[in-house]
Amino acid sequence: MNKWKVAFFALAGTVLFAILLVVFLATRPVDGGHVAKSSAGESESKGNVLVVQTTTKELESISKKILKGCSERLAFTT
């Protein structure tokens, strides 16, 4: 067989394997995750809960960036 045919089928097989691997990894169930447990005083909420851990300086920096972005968007609309 021609060496180009062998190379073509090897490359096609590698691409097909990579696509199947990505599909398999994307659709398989997750074993578990780190989920924050609620405190004894908190009631169990229904729905989604987002827990964020940050420092005061980081929170202040994030809020300043968000407020700056909002004020810039408002300046363009008026």
mmCIF file of all heavy atoms in Angstrom, residues 54-69:
data_model
loop_
_atom_site.group_PDB
_atom_site.id
_atom_site.type_symbol
_atom_site.label_atom_id
_atom_site.label_comp_id
_atom_site.label_asym_id
_atom_site.label_seq_id
_atom_site.Cartn_x
_atom_site.Cartn_y
_atom_site.Cartn_z
ATOM 1 N N THR A 54 -13.864 35.146 49.275
ATOM 2 C CA THR A 54 -12.952 36.173 48.808
ATOM 3 C C THR A 54 -12.525 37.041 49.972
ATOM 4 O O THR A 54 -13.093 36.969 51.064
ATOM 5 C CB THR A 54 -13.611 37.035 47.705
ATOM 6 O OG1 THR A 54 -12.645 37.944 47.202
ATOM 7 C CG2 THR A 54 -14.811 37.778 48.221
ATOM 8 N N THR A 55 -11.522 37.851 49.743
ATOM 9 C CA THR A 55 -11.090 38.795 50.772
ATOM 10 C C THR A 55 -11.793 40.124 50.542
ATOM 11 O O THR A 55 -12.389 40.361 49.480
ATOM 12 C CB THR A 55 -9.569 39.008 50.710
ATOM 13 O OG1 THR A 55 -9.235 39.594 49.445
ATOM 14 C CG2 THR A 55 -8.823 37.702 50.884
ATOM 15 N N THR A 56 -11.693 41.003 51.514
ATOM 16 C CA THR A 56 -12.344 42.306 51.415
ATOM 17 C C THR A 56 -11.750 43.125 50.270
ATOM 18 O O THR A 56 -12.478 43.763 49.506
ATOM 19 C CB THR A 56 -12.186 43.078 52.734
ATOM 20 O OG1 THR A 56 -12.676 42.266 53.796
ATOM 21 C CG2 THR A 56 -12.940 44.382 52.721
ATOM 22 N N LYS A 57 -10.425 43.082 50.129
ATOM 23 C CA LYS A 57 -9.775 43.850 49.062
ATOM 24 C C LYS A 57 -10.170 43.331 47.681
ATOM 25 O O LYS A 57 -10.401 44.112 46.762
ATOM 26 C CB LYS A 57 -8.264 43.806 49.233
ATOM 27 C CG LYS A 57 -7.771 44.630 50.394
ATOM 28 C CD LYS A 57 -6.264 44.657 50.440
ATOM 29 C CE LYS A 57 -5.800 45.518 51.587
ATOM 30 N NZ LYS A 57 -4.340 45.658 51.615
ATOM 31 N N GLU A 58 -10.242 42.017 47.523
ATOM 32 C CA GLU A 58 -10.644 41.450 46.241
ATOM 33 C C GLU A 58 -12.078 41.819 45.904
ATOM 34 O O GLU A 58 -12.389 42.157 44.761
ATOM 35 C CB GLU A 58 -10.483 39.930 46.248
ATOM 36 C CG GLU A 58 -9.047 39.467 46.249
ATOM 37 C CD GLU A 58 -8.923 37.967 46.414
ATOM 38 O OE1 GLU A 58 -9.903 37.323 46.842
ATOM 39 O OE2 GLU A 58 -7.849 37.444 46.115
ATOM 40 N N LEU A 59 -12.969 41.750 46.888
ATOM 41 C CA LEU A 59 -14.369 42.111 46.667
ATOM 42 C C LEU A 59 -14.501 43.578 46.296
ATOM 43 O O LEU A 59 -15.263 43.941 45.378
ATOM 44 C CB LEU A 59 -15.200 41.798 47.907
ATOM 45 C CG LEU A 59 -16.680 42.097 47.812
ATOM 46 C CD1 LEU A 59 -17.322 41.245 46.724
ATOM 47 C CD2 LEU A 59 -17.363 41.844 49.142
ATOM 48 N N GLU A 60 -13.739 44.432 46.957
ATOM 49 C CA GLU A 60 -13.772 45.859 46.645
ATOM 50 C C GLU A 60 -13.258 46.113 45.230
ATOM 51 O O GLU A 60 -13.835 46.904 44.480
ATOM 52 C CB GLU A 60 -12.922 46.625 47.654
ATOM 53 C CG GLU A 60 -12.949 48.120 47.476
ATOM 54 C CD GLU A 60 -12.121 48.839 48.523
ATOM 55 O OE1 GLU A 60 -11.694 48.196 49.501
ATOM 56 O OE2 GLU A 60 -11.902 50.040 48.347
ATOM 57 N N SER A 61 -12.203 45.423 44.837
ATOM 58 C CA SER A 61 -11.653 45.578 43.497
ATOM 59 C C SER A 61 -12.651 45.125 42.432
ATOM 60 O O SER A 61 -12.847 45.804 41.412
ATOM 61 C CB SER A 61 -10.356 44.788 43.379
ATOM 62 O OG SER A 61 -9.892 44.774 42.071
ATOM 63 N N ILE A 62 -13.294 44.005 42.663
ATOM 64 C CA ILE A 62 -14.288 43.487 41.715
ATOM 65 C C ILE A 62 -15.464 44.458 41.595
ATOM 66 O O ILE A 62 -15.925 44.763 40.492
ATOM 67 C CB ILE A 62 -14.770 42.094 42.152
ATOM 68 C CG1 ILE A 62 -13.630 41.081 42.016
ATOM 69 C CG2 ILE A 62 -15.973 41.650 41.335
ATOM 70 C CD1 ILE A 62 -13.920 39.747 42.674
ATOM 71 N N SER A 63 -15.940 44.958 42.728
ATOM 72 C CA SER A 63 -17.098 45.862 42.684
ATOM 73 C C SER A 63 -16.741 47.177 41.992
ATOM 74 O O SER A 63 -17.562 47.739 41.268
ATOM 75 C CB SER A 63 -17.642 46.107 44.085
ATOM 76 O OG SER A 63 -16.655 46.734 44.888
ATOM 77 N N LYS A 64 -15.508 47.658 42.170
ATOM 78 C CA LYS A 64 -15.097 48.890 41.488
ATOM 79 C C LYS A 64 -15.059 48.677 39.980
ATOM 80 O O LYS A 64 -15.466 49.550 39.215
ATOM 81 C CB LYS A 64 -13.728 49.358 41.991
ATOM 82 C CG LYS A 64 -13.771 50.024 43.338
ATOM 83 C CD LYS A 64 -12.401 50.507 43.756
ATOM 84 C CE LYS A 64 -12.439 51.165 45.108
ATOM 85 N NZ LYS A 64 -11.107 51.628 45.540
ATOM 86 N N LYS A 65 -14.555 47.524 39.539
ATOM 87 C CA LYS A 65 -14.512 47.234 38.105
ATOM 88 C C LYS A 65 -15.920 47.163 37.526
ATOM 89 O O LYS A 65 -16.186 47.683 36.443
ATOM 90 C CB LYS A 65 -13.778 45.917 37.843
ATOM 91 C CG LYS A 65 -12.295 46.014 38.024
ATOM 92 C CD LYS A 65 -11.649 44.673 37.748
ATOM 93 C CE LYS A 65 -10.160 44.724 38.029
ATOM 94 N NZ LYS A 65 -9.525 43.420 37.806
ATOM 95 N N ILE A 66 -16.830 46.537 38.245
ATOM 96 C CA ILE A 66 -18.202 46.416 37.758
ATOM 97 C C ILE A 66 -18.870 47.788 37.704
ATOM 98 O O ILE A 66 -19.525 48.131 36.710
ATOM 99 C CB ILE A 66 -19.008 45.443 38.647
ATOM 100 C CG1 ILE A 66 -18.486 44.023 38.459
ATOM 101 C CG2 ILE A 66 -20.489 45.520 38.340
ATOM 102 C CD1 ILE A 66 -19.073 43.021 39.421
ATOM 103 N N LEU A 67 -18.691 48.583 38.755
ATOM 104 C CA LEU A 67 -19.302 49.909 38.772
ATOM 105 C C LEU A 67 -18.699 50.806 37.698
ATOM 106 O O LEU A 67 -19.402 51.605 37.079
ATOM 107 C CB LEU A 67 -19.149 50.545 40.151
ATOM 108 C CG LEU A 67 -19.988 49.907 41.257
ATOM 109 C CD1 LEU A 67 -19.646 50.521 42.602
ATOM 110 C CD2 LEU A 67 -21.461 50.053 40.954
ATOM 111 N N LYS A 68 -17.404 50.682 37.452
ATOM 112 C CA LYS A 68 -16.759 51.477 36.408
ATOM 113 C C LYS A 68 -17.309 51.093 35.038
ATOM 114 O O LYS A 68 -17.584 51.955 34.209
ATOM 115 C CB LYS A 68 -15.246 51.267 36.435
ATOM 116 C CG LYS A 68 -14.504 52.107 35.432
ATOM 117 C CD LYS A 68 -13.012 51.879 35.524
ATOM 118 C CE LYS A 68 -12.289 52.700 34.464
ATOM 119 N NZ LYS A 68 -10.852 52.425 34.465
ATOM 120 N N GLY A 69 -17.505 49.783 34.804
ATOM 121 C CA GLY A 69 -18.073 49.338 33.544
ATOM 122 C C GLY A 69 -19.495 49.825 33.350
ATOM 123 O O GLY A 69 -19.888 50.219 32.249
#
